[in-house]
Amino acid sequence: MIIPVRCFTCGKLIGDKWEEFSRRVKEGEPAGKVLDDLGLTRYCCRRMLLSHVEIIDEVARFYGGKAVEEAEG
Amino acid sequence: MNVQILERNEDSMLFVVDGITASLANTLRRIILSEVPCMAIDDIMIIENDSVLHDEILGLRLGLIPLKTDLDSYNLPEECSCQSELGCPLCRTVLILDVEARGGERVVYSKDLLPENPDVAPVSGEIPIVKLAPGQRIRLEAYARLGRGREHAKWQPVSSCIYRHVPEIKVDAGRCDACGECVEICSRNVLERSGDKIEVKNMLECTICRDCMRVCPQEPAAISVDGNENSFIFYVESTGVMPVERIIEEAFKIYDKKYSEFLDQLLVSLNVSEKD
């Protein structure tokens, strides 16, 4: 759904690294290099970012009606 | 006993301890993992949550955010003089989150959590907590308190705390013909061939997998790899809540306290039985 705050296995903080990771990978940098730069050395933390699919944007769309509803009364 | 620090960063430390036993090394590791306290959000009062994440998931995410910990100014709730279920300013602190998405979509970050005490703030301000669609709002009060890793992993001050034996690599120069097979197979690049000799280049990288012994054409192998039973390579990596030195120092204090309590009780019992 949304990037987990910590690595499931070791507990390292990874949440704050997702946005940089996803932006740089989208810009065409090799994922492995970005992970090295972010200081993720263990493969448990690396898979957290590597295998993550940010799906909350898709879900949030369907909850966006509240503002519209309120505006229309 | 000899301690040598090999690498020290803001959040991690690599050091070699010589002259201790595995049981002592493991005691330190286990105390760090399950006894050294740190701050984490525990109770949450959710006033409003319109987001797509349910209250429980939101609570879990908030709990996992590492908070900077000042062990000197807070007590563990079970040891605090207030003995109150709700806690007092000496054993808990509040963080407030009040965010509304106006206009466009809004990502709620850990920096939006407003701490009552600025010393107990999230380690990083860039942790996404949730995303809000236009018009959605989150309002909550989060109560942080000290806790121990044995209760929940969110109170674990380290993300990695491991030790391993210091490797001992011996090359029998008399029988080794420097064929280089061991250099080739080593995945950690520990060995190096210089002229007609095999030399150990970076011993601490060795994981004692013994591939080099298996691949050696000599019978028995001209190279031997073993772990030194009495020296350990320690690696401690903090989650950012406290400096590593402080975590280790605190672990030893806890160890001392446990055993001095034990001794006190033992002496009391001995005195009682002598009087009888």
Side-chain angles (χ1 to χ4, degrees):
Chain A
M1 189 83 144
I2 187 166
I3 185 74
V5 177
R6 294 198 194 197
C7 169
F8 291 156
T9 306
C10 70
K12 191 184 172 77
L13 180 65
I14 49 138
D16 59 339
K17 300 175 178 72
W18 165 254
E19 288 186 355
E20 185 182 343
F21 174 80
S22 102
R23 176 178 54 78
R24 284 172 64 178
V25 169
K26 253 179 222 151
E27 281 168 10
E29 267 188 79
K33 192 183 156 282
V34 183
L35 289 168
D36 288 340
D37 286 352
L38 290 169
L40 298 177
T41 49
R42 290 182 289 276
Y43 61 67
C44 60
C45 314
R46 292 167 81 91
R47 61 93 205 255
M48 294 301 293
L49 294 184
L50 215 47
S51 60
H52 175 66
V53 181
E54 187 91 341
I55 222 163
I56 191 165
D57 301 308
E58 314 278 322
V59 183
R61 278 203 319 221
F62 298 101
Y63 287 80
K66 193 179 178 238
V68 183
E69 245 171 54
E70 276 171 7
E72 287 169 356
Chain B
M1 190 187 294
N2 179 28
V3 180
Q4 191 193 350
I5 293 167
L6 301 175
E7 224 178 270
R8 196 172 147 208
N9 300 327
E10 208 180 317
D11 283 337
S12 68
M13 190 151 90
L14 184 70
F15 58 98
V16 175
V17 192
D18 197 22
I20 59 168
T21 55
S23 55
L24 206 59
N26 200 31
T27 308
L28 176 61
R29 185 186 70 89
R30 291 190 58 154
I31 290 182
I32 290 177
L33 286 175
S34 62
E35 301 276 348
V36 175
C38 72
M39 276 283 182
I41 290 171
D42 193 28
D43 284 323
I44 300 172
M45 297 272 279
I46 295 180
I47 300 158
E48 197 176 346
N49 175 20
D50 298 334
S51 76
V52 289
L53 293 191
H54 300 168
D55 294 357
E56 295 88 331
I57 296 177
L58 194 68
L60 212 75
R61 291 180 67 81
L62 287 166
L64 284 172
I65 294 172
L67 302 176
K68 280 184 217 132
T69 303
D70 180 6
L71 284 181
D72 302 319
S73 17
Y74 287 96
N75 297 330
L76 275 158
E78 57 266 35
E79 290 165 11
C80 187
S81 53
C82 69
Q83 288 300 318
S84 145
E85 204 182 310
L86 298 166
C88 71
L90 285 174
C91 58
R92 62 130 174 73
T93 177
V94 189
L95 293 99
I96 289 167
L97 186 67
D98 183 355
V99 181
E100 189 179 358
R102 292 203 188 104
E105 211 174 73
R106 167 90 146 80
V107 185
V108 184
Y109 290 102
S110 51
K111 64 184 169 214
D112 295 317
L113 273 169
L114 303 176
E116 173 193 45
N117 176 358
D119 292 337
V120 185
V123 160
S124 162
E126 304 300 319
I127 310 165
I129 298 171
V130 65
K131 278 183 187 169
L132 299 178
Q136 291 180 346
R137 188 170 187 195
I138 276 195
R139 274 200 300 155
L140 56 87
E141 266 176 29
Y143 295 91
R145 69 167 175 95
L146 286 177
R148 298 180 194 275
R150 63 170 176 229
E151 199 178 327
H152 192 291
K154 69 185 174 185
W155 282 302
Q156 218 167 263
V158 291
S159 51
S160 172
C161 179
I162 53 162
Y163 65 85
R164 59 192 173 92
H165 290 294
V166 171
E168 270 180 352
I169 309 167
K170 288 190 198 103
V171 182
D172 187 343
R175 290 191 298 119
C176 176
D177 57 2
C179 63
E181 298 245 8
C182 49
V183 181
E184 200 79 359
I185 195 121
C186 183
S187 58
R188 312 279 292 191
N189 297 317
V190 173
L191 303 165
E192 191 181 43
R193 181 156 65 171
S194 61
D196 56 350
K197 272 198 299 195
I198 300 290
E199 278 178 0
V200 181
K201 192 169 53 174
N202 34 10
M203 192 172 66
L204 291 180
E205 280 292 301
C206 177
T207 56
I208 322 185
C209 69
R210 298 200 172 109
D211 272 350
C212 46
M213 285 171 73
R214 241 166 270 133
V215 84
C216 184
Q218 303 290 332
E219 198 58 55
I223 185 166
S224 78
V225 182
D226 257 312
N228 182 342
E229 303 261 296
N230 290 312
S231 57
F232 297 88
I233 306 171
F234 252 97
Y235 178 65
V236 184
E237 186 186 271
S238 160
T239 50
V241 291
M242 276 180 274
V244 183
E245 303 90 84
R246 183 72 203 262
I247 293 172
I248 296 170
E249 201 188 310
E250 221 42 60
F252 283 120
K253 273 192 208 158
I254 290 165
Y255 180 83
D256 269 355
K257 200 176 151 213
K258 275 182 187 288
Y259 272 105
S260 54
E261 257 175 48
F262 186 1
L263 182 63
D264 290 346
Q265 287 308 313
L266 193 68
L267 292 175
V268 168
S269 306
L270 281 172
N271 282 337
V272 170
S273 60
E274 267 170 29
K275 273 179 197 156
D276 292 343

